[in-house]
Amino acid sequence: MGIRAVIFDLGGVVLGSPLHAIARLEEEHGLERDVVNRHVVASAPDGAWHRMERGEVAVGDAFFAEFDRELAGAGAPISSAVLFERIAAEAQPRPIMLRAIDRLREAGFKVAALTNNWSDERPGSDSSFKRGDLHARFELVVESSVVGLRKPDPRIYRLTCERLGVEPAEAAFLDDIGSNLKSARALGLTTIKVVTPEQALEELEDVVGLALR
Ligand SMILES: [Mg+2]
């Protein structure tokens, strides 16, 4: 089956990487590398981060207090409010990825975003990812905090393919987190791990048979 659709993760793929922002904060605090992400993975499915990404709790004071307690208990006594500031500052669009998305759409591919994200209840918050501008680039945007499912739950990939009107075998999926890709691959999607934008687009060019850079 040929590829008819391309599904992009946002953070660390189309936008700057939240993992880089988190790693820098860990380093500044002299913490063990990856301690925050390990806590997130270990606290599945009902830790504060998971509920936040499923939209069951919004980002705000109550979430920060709970996640601060979890992080301290995991050996990472940092402020999650600061963590979210850093993630938001890092989440700038990557022009090379925006151009590739435009080229895919011009060539007739269905192009979606599939993001684990959150809603923000803080006053004056314009949402972390300046959603309007970015979302207009895609035919479809699936947000974990809206649909109540988060990657790597297989149901969110099925939902995305259904909404795009394609079979999983007709879709390519780019993400920067290996466990998100593993689950998608098991359903039959063609997956690309994004280490750098250039490397990922080179692999995507092979998959879609189109120059994207
Ligand atoms: Mg990501």
Side-chain angles (χ1 to χ4, degrees):
M1 219 176 256
I3 296 294
R4 298 169 53 214
V6 182
I7 302 167
F8 289 86
D9 172 33
L10 292 181
V13 175
V14 179
L15 307 173
S17 169
L19 301 179
H20 296 171
I22 294 169
R24 273 203 303 276
L25 196 60
E26 288 168 343
E27 200 179 336
E28 285 170 30
H29 285 264
L31 299 174
E32 213 178 315
R33 173 142 201 165
D34 216 27
V35 63
V36 172
N37 194 43
R38 278 204 308 277
H39 166 69
V40 168
V41 171
S43 62
D46 289 319
W49 186 278
H50 297 260
R51 282 180 283 118
M52 176 271 290
E53 285 193 337
R54 289 195 303 263
E56 295 162 23
V57 55
V59 167
D61 290 342
F63 166 77
F64 290 143
E66 185 180 3
F67 197 53
D68 282 357
R69 279 195 301 275
E70 284 189 11
L71 286 175
I78 56 175
S79 157
S80 47
V82 170
L83 182 70
F84 273 71
E85 273 171 30
R86 298 294 188 85
I87 290 172
E90 191 77 28
Q92 302 302 320
R94 294 170 165 172
I96 190 175
M97 298 304 272
L98 298 181
R99 281 196 299 275
I101 290 163
D102 291 344
R103 285 183 189 168
L104 286 164
R105 293 201 65 182
E106 283 160 20
F109 287 90
K110 293 168 176 276
V111 183
L114 171 56
T115 176
N116 282 354
N117 70 351
W118 49 85
S119 64
D120 197 322
E121 67 182 10
R122 290 171 292 172
S125 158
D126 65 347
S127 93
S128 335
F129 296 144
K130 298 187 178 74
R131 291 191 171 123
D133 286 354
L134 184 62
H135 287 195
R137 300 249 172 188
F138 297 96
E139 175 170 339
L140 170 74
V141 179
V142 176
E143 301 176 86
S144 65
S145 64
V146 173
V147 299
L149 299 167
R150 70 186 286 283
K151 298 175 284 186
D153 186 327
R155 291 175 293 177
I156 200 167
Y157 306 102
R158 285 201 204 97
L159 179 79
T160 304
C161 290
E162 276 166 27
R163 288 187 180 175
L164 279 173
V166 299
E167 295 297 324
E170 295 175 307
F173 172 55
L174 295 87
D175 202 291
D176 59 328
I177 295 181
S179 56
N180 291 346
L181 295 166
K182 190 174 171 196
S183 176
R185 197 157 54 240
L187 286 173
L189 289 92
T190 297
T191 59
I192 295 173
K193 167 116 193 225
V194 179
V195 181
T196 68
E198 289 76 12
Q199 154 271 330
L201 291 178
E202 192 176 338
E203 290 183 36
L204 183 58
E205 285 174 342
D206 284 343
V207 169
V208 297
L210 193 67
L212 297 171
R213 292 168 293 167

